[in-house]
Amino acid sequence: MEVTTYRTLAAPVKAEFKDKGSRFIAFAYPIQSADEVKAYVELLKQEHHKARHWCFAWRIGTDGMQFRANDDGEPSGSAGRPILGQIDSVGLTDILVVVVRYFGGTLLGVPGLIHAYKTATAEALSVGAIIEKNIEKTVWLRCDYAYLNEAIRIGKQYQANIIMQDLQLDCRLTVRVPLAYYQACIEAWEHTRMIDIKTISDGNTNKHN
């Protein structure tokens, strides 16, 4: 059965874990692109400028291919991977977790670090509200003004969201269609015979006549 939804955080959350004087403060954020990661990390570096490390991991999309884990100077594999592991164990995507570490003067060793970063992340995710959202596909529509209302009506019927409109000589819409209703929605637009449709499939743009 095709997967048509995914799970992510409803809103940012944070939690803290302490071990032998070191503080591990986990911040979790819902995100939509990797471009947002740098801004969040830089903000935390400014707010927690006396911390020693700002380790993070993120996952985006539903194909399992877009992710990163960063140890930020901690021993390799002791921070970023445990953070990512907790994200995956809860089954979340479109999420960034940054764990800020204040060093307490006592070395924890690699096993201790793995436990600390894992626990801090798990604590943050356990207090966050998790929501289920539709997997969507992008569609570009073009039609004359006379058919704009029909194009919009069909989209609403299948829970599609218009994310951009360009109304000039003709009407051009960028629409996000839930995967569960995608084929039926495309067929309904095609049935009008007056709406040009372009869809994205595997990185290529396909035109429907």
Side-chain angles (χ1 to χ4, degrees), residues 22-43:
S22 284
R23 296 172 61 205
F24 297 82
I25 311 171
F27 298 84
Y29 306 94
I31 61 174
Q32 294 185 326
S33 74
D35 295 336
E36 298 176 63
V37 174
K38 183 177 180 180
Y40 279 123
V41 173
E42 289 301 319
L43 179 63

Side-chain angles (χ1 to χ4, degrees), residues 24-27 41 44-45 52-57 69-74 78-80 83 96-101 117 121:
F24 297 82
I25 311 171
F27 298 84
V41 173
L44 290 175
K45 285 185 177 181
R52 180 71 65 88
H53 301 281
W54 300 265
C55 307
F56 64 86
N70 188 305
D71 296 315
D72 192 42
E74 295 281 35
S78 67
I83 295 171
L96 162 69
V97 177
V98 184
V99 179
V100 177
R101 181 192 181 188
Y117 282 103
T121 303

Side-chain angles (χ1 to χ4, degrees), residues 137-141 147-158 160-162 173-177 181-199 208-209:
K137 297 187 71 172
T138 301
V139 180
W140 289 275
L141 304 178
Y147 295 93
L148 176 61
N149 287 339
E150 179 68 1
I152 294 174
R153 184 195 67 77
I154 291 171
K156 287 182 177 180
Q157 179 182 347
Y158 294 101
N161 295 309
I162 298 173
L173 307 177
T174 304
V175 186
R176 298 283 291 172
V177 183
Y181 308 115
Y182 177 78
Q183 192 59 44
C185 189
I186 292 294
E187 289 176 358
W189 278 323
E190 289 177 337
H191 186 70
T192 69
R193 298 185 179 276
M194 299 304 295
I195 300 173
D196 291 331
I197 307 165
K198 291 183 180 179
T199 61
H208 297 244
N209 296 315

